[in-house]
């Protein structure tokens, strides 16, 4: 029988509300799984069992008093160690930022307000700036499908913890695939929201106590189930601070409710960033299954090349992530104009198409490689090797154009490594990409636990 810790978070919340189990029981069960499964993975790096037990007991007492409860009432979860958590160590894998905050990041506060019991933090690369997860404070996180490989980054600890049932839900962040790549390589789900709809306040980077929101980066949920992503996005999205005085967020409904109604384009290969054959076979099979199920596939390609996207992504990203990289304001304005031109073209494109299906990475999870600088790293590609920077290839469209993208597992390679697909949609139409991902999940089976973690 599948362990209850591998059930979706929304089902766990329902079980707590119905009195089938208590929040405290579920918390203790997750803590036991961390004790059992975390040592070879190093995904969960900080625990606050005493604080979590107090929160779980309070959740059970509130339920006993028939008080109104939130959608995540009593559900235990972890959050990526890029988020400030009141009274709980926060580091972002960076010794200079190692501290215990007095208050929660706004996204964390919203999860707690919805009833979540946050009991720990998951590992991230230093300053959240890598597609592999390791840092000088906590060391290396391993992929549960193959511990010789990385779970991805920067939300690598989050994805590994989800895949192994050590947490019910996770809060990740994404500026260059940092939700989508780990979800892809660990076989879980993740949603990169439209830029700006989930508050960044309290996320590292920028440094602790910074107030300005950074370009490109988004905060978003990770889960084992798309319904959980939808639930979490409803909790997380919306204005904060002074903005909340004057406006409200109302994301539009999904453009369709069935696969036969939604117009789906596919962009699965590119001459500059070809997808490894084993990954391509899984993606082709997923699209074939969609076609057989009656999906409305349209042959309309986006009005941009991956090479153009990668170049613009890097120009906008590097000054945010690398303290030695600079960009004059005039140069930024030029890059931003190029971005706005791209956004306008994509808005026109999505008049003909409702969502586009794309790979997430050119290869499945790679083996650990901590060479510095990044330019010295290579990734295996069949009988050849390709640049580590080829991992920029397929994640840039959603990032640069501020678009929503939902990652969902669709199969495994011949070696048994997970492969995901990303559903990219129009700006602010997150519910459309989530709807398509939910149908993909139902059609292809969705999440499967790694061997040995059921």
């Amino acid at each position: 029988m599948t362990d209850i810790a591998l059930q979706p978070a929304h089902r766990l919340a329902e079980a707590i509300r119905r009195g089938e189990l208590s929040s405290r029981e579920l918390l203790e069960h997750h803590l036991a799984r961390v004790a059992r499964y975390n040592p070879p993975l190093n995904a969960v790096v900080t625990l606050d069992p005493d604080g979590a037990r107090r929160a779980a007991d309070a959740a059970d007492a509130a339920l006993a008093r028939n008080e109104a409860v939130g959608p995540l009432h009593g559900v235990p979860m972890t959050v990526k160690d890029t988020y400030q958590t009141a009274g709980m160590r926060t580091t972002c894998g960076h010794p200079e930022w190692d501290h215990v905050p007095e208050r929660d990041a706004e996204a964390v506060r919203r999860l707690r307000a919805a009833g979540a019991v946050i009991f720990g933090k998951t590992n991230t690369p230093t300053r959240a700036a890598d597609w592999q997860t390791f840092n000088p404070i906590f060391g290396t996180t391993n992929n549960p499908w193959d511990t010789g490989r990385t779970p991805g980054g920067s939300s690598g600890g989050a994805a590994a913890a989800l895949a192994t049932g050590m947490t019910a839900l996770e809060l990740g962040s994404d500026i260059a695939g940092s939700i989508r790549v780990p979800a892809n390589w660990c076989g879980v789900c993740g949603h990169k929201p439209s830029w700006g709809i989930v508050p960044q306040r309290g996320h590292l980077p920028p440094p602790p106590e910074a107030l300005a929101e950074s370009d490109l980066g988004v905060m978003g949920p990770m889960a084992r189930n798309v319904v959980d992503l939808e639930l979490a996005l409803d909790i997380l999205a919306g204005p904060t601070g002074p903005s909340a005085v004057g406006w409200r967020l109302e994301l539009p409904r999904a453009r369709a409710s069935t696969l036969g109604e939604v117009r789906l384009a596919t962009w699965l290969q590119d001459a500059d960033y070809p997808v490894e054959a084993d990954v391509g076979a899984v993606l082709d099979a997923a699209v074939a299954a969609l076609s057989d199920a009656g999906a409305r596939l349209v042959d309309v390609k986006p009005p941009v090349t991956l090479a153009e996207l990668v170049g613009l992504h890097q120009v906008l990203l590097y000054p945010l992530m690398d303290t030695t990289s600079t960009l004059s304001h005039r140069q930024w304005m030029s890059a931003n104009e190029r971005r706005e031109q791209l956004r306008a073209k994509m808005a026109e494109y999505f008049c003909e198409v409702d969502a586009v299906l794309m790979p997430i990475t050119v290869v499945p999870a790679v083996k650990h490689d901590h060479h510095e600088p990044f330019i010295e790293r290579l990734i295996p590609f069949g009988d050849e090797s390709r640049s580590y920077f080829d991992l920029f290839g397929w994640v840039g469209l959603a990032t640069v154009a501020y678009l929503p993208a939902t990652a969902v597992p669709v199969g495994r390679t011949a070696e048994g490594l997970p492969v995901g697909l990303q559903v990219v949609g129009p700006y602010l139409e997150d519910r459309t990409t989530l709807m398509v991902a939910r149908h993909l999940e139902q059609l292809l089976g969705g999440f499967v636990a790694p061997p040995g973690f059921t």
Side-chain angles (χ1 to χ4, degrees):
M1 180 180 293
T2 301
D3 194 295
I4 192 172
L6 293 167
Q7 290 292 310
H10 71 275
R11 292 182 184 163
L12 296 175
E14 291 167 2
I16 290 171
R17 286 194 294 270
R18 289 194 299 262
E20 296 172 4
L21 76 167
S22 70
S23 176
R24 179 63 180 267
E25 289 171 333
L26 195 55
L27 171 64
E28 296 297 345
H29 188 70
H30 278 83
L31 289 171
R33 283 187 71 92
V34 171
R36 178 180 180 185
Y37 291 124
N38 194 56
L41 299 178
N42 192 37
V44 180
V45 291
T46 297
L47 287 172
D48 179 21
D50 293 338
R53 286 173 179 133
R54 288 192 296 271
D57 289 343
D60 291 333
L63 205 58
R65 293 191 298 268
N66 293 317
E67 293 181 1
V69 298
L72 290 175
H73 188 83
V75 176
M77 66 174 290
T78 54
V79 298
K80 180 180 179 181
D81 190 31
T82 53
Y83 290 93
Q84 293 188 307
T85 41
M88 194 186 312
R89 187 182 185 188
T90 301
T91 76
C92 196
H94 187 34
E96 294 179 18
W97 293 350
D98 190 348
H99 70 301
V100 178
E102 295 181 0
R103 55 184 173 270
D104 287 327
E106 176 60 18
V108 173
R109 187 199 66 77
R110 293 181 180 191
L111 290 167
R112 290 199 207 265
V117 174
I118 296 174
F119 68 90
K121 311 290 285 291
T122 50
N123 208 20
T124 184
T126 305
R127 293 171 52 93
D130 201 342
W131 291 298
Q132 299 179 65
T133 293
F134 65 96
N135 62 65
I137 300 174
F138 297 118
T140 300
T141 299
N142 299 319
N143 191 308
W145 290 87
D146 178 349
T147 55
R149 299 175 187 265
T150 180
S154 60
S155 309
L162 278 167
T164 54
M166 290 191 285
T167 185
L169 190 67
E170 252 287 350
L171 178 61
S173 54
D174 190 309
I175 200 169
S178 287
I179 286 174
R180 292 164 286 164
V181 172
N184 177 33
W185 285 353
C186 289
V188 298
C189 304
H191 182 67
K192 175 221 164 291
S194 296
W195 186 86
I197 69 171
V198 177
Q200 298 182 20
R201 185 73 56 85
H203 180 273
L204 313 180
E209 305 309 320
L211 298 181
E213 300 222 330
S214 63
D215 191 15
L216 302 177
V218 298
M219 322 292 106
M222 301 176 71
R224 290 182 292 271
N225 175 278
V226 175
V227 172
D228 285 354
L229 298 180
E230 295 173 307
L231 172 66
L233 185 65
D234 285 343
I235 294 167
L236 294 167
T240 187
S243 299
V245 174
W247 65 269
R248 298 290 181 270
L249 178 68
E250 289 188 16
L251 296 177
R253 298 173 60 182
R255 290 189 175 188
S257 58
T258 69
L259 288 175
E261 297 170 326
V262 68
R263 299 166 297 176
L264 294 176
T266 61
W267 186 9
L268 301 181
Q269 282 290 352
D270 183 89
D272 292 311
Y273 295 90
V275 174
E276 191 266 335
D278 224 11
V279 172
V282 174
L283 300 181
D284 288 341
V287 171
L290 281 171
S291 179
D292 291 344
R296 185 181 174 189
L297 300 176
V298 296
D299 186 16
V300 186
K301 293 292 187 292
V304 66
T305 69
L306 290 190
E308 291 173 311
L309 286 167
V310 168
L312 183 54
H313 192 179
Q314 291 174 341
V315 167
L316 292 167
L317 175 68
Y318 286 165
L320 300 175
M321 305 298 288
D322 183 354
T323 56
T324 66
S325 178
T326 60
L327 196 67
S328 71
H329 188 57
R330 183 178 297 277
Q331 289 171 322
W332 183 87
M333 287 193 297
S334 174
N336 189 51
E337 177 61 28
R338 289 164 57 197
R339 188 235 307 275
E340 291 303 318
Q341 294 288 339
L342 167 64
R343 296 186 68 202
K345 289 179 181 178
M346 290 307 301
E348 291 182 12
Y349 173 77
F350 283 121
C351 291
E352 301 179 70
V353 172
D354 297 318
V356 57
L357 308 179
M358 301 171 63
I360 300 172
T361 55
V362 295
V363 291
V366 298
K367 294 182 179 180
H368 298 293
D369 181 355
H370 299 172
H371 284 95
E372 298 288 353
F374 286 4
I375 198 169
E376 295 182 1
R377 299 183 193 173
L378 297 173
I379 53 177
F381 189 89
D383 296 330
E384 305 173 355
S385 294
R386 294 186 66 89
S387 167
Y388 191 66
F389 289 96
D390 277 15
L391 296 175
F392 270 114
W394 293 96
V395 298
L397 175 60
T399 298
V400 173
Y402 291 169
L403 304 177
T406 308
V408 61
V410 295
R412 289 178 295 283
T413 67
E415 285 187 274
L417 297 173
V419 175
L421 190 66
Q422 65 175 326
V423 185
V424 179
Y427 178 59
L428 295 179
E429 299 198 44
D430 296 56
R431 299 198 194 285
T432 293
T433 68
L434 287 160
M435 180 278 293
V436 174
R438 183 165 18 89
H439 280 286
L440 275 165
E441 178 181 66
Q442 294 166 356
L443 182 64
L444 298 172
F447 168 76
V448 175
F453 293 99
T454 56

